[in-house]
Amino acid sequence: MRSEKSVGRMVGILLLVQMAAALIVPFVLMDALVRGYPAYLEIAAASGVQIRLAIGVAFLGLGLT
């Protein structure tokens, strides 16, 4: 049986990872879409890998929540 201290540490680490994922996705990875607002489809096509990575990190953060 795990001690309460180790369980608390694990929960704290998961919360920090979730917070990092929640801050990285909208402000760093999705910035390409925000910057190119009038022509966001062209910008999205040019930075497809970055947007796919952002969606993957978003799902990871949602899973942790």
Side-chain angles (χ1 to χ4, degrees):
M1 195 164 170
R2 300 176 101 173
S3 70
E4 289 141 7
K5 194 172 188 179
S6 66
V7 172
R9 283 184 183 159
M10 184 59 67
V11 169
I13 290 169
L14 286 174
L15 286 174
L16 287 174
V17 170
Q18 191 274 335
M19 183 181 66
L23 292 175
I24 288 173
V25 170
F27 297 116
V28 176
L29 295 175
M30 290 294 201
D31 188 48
L33 291 178
V34 175
R35 273 187 291 130
Y37 173 67
Y40 71 94
L41 288 178
E42 290 85 10
I43 300 292
S47 59
V49 174
Q50 183 178 0
I51 293 171
R52 284 188 205 106
L53 180 66
I55 298 302
V57 171
F59 277 120
L60 176 74
L62 290 171
L64 289 174
T65 301

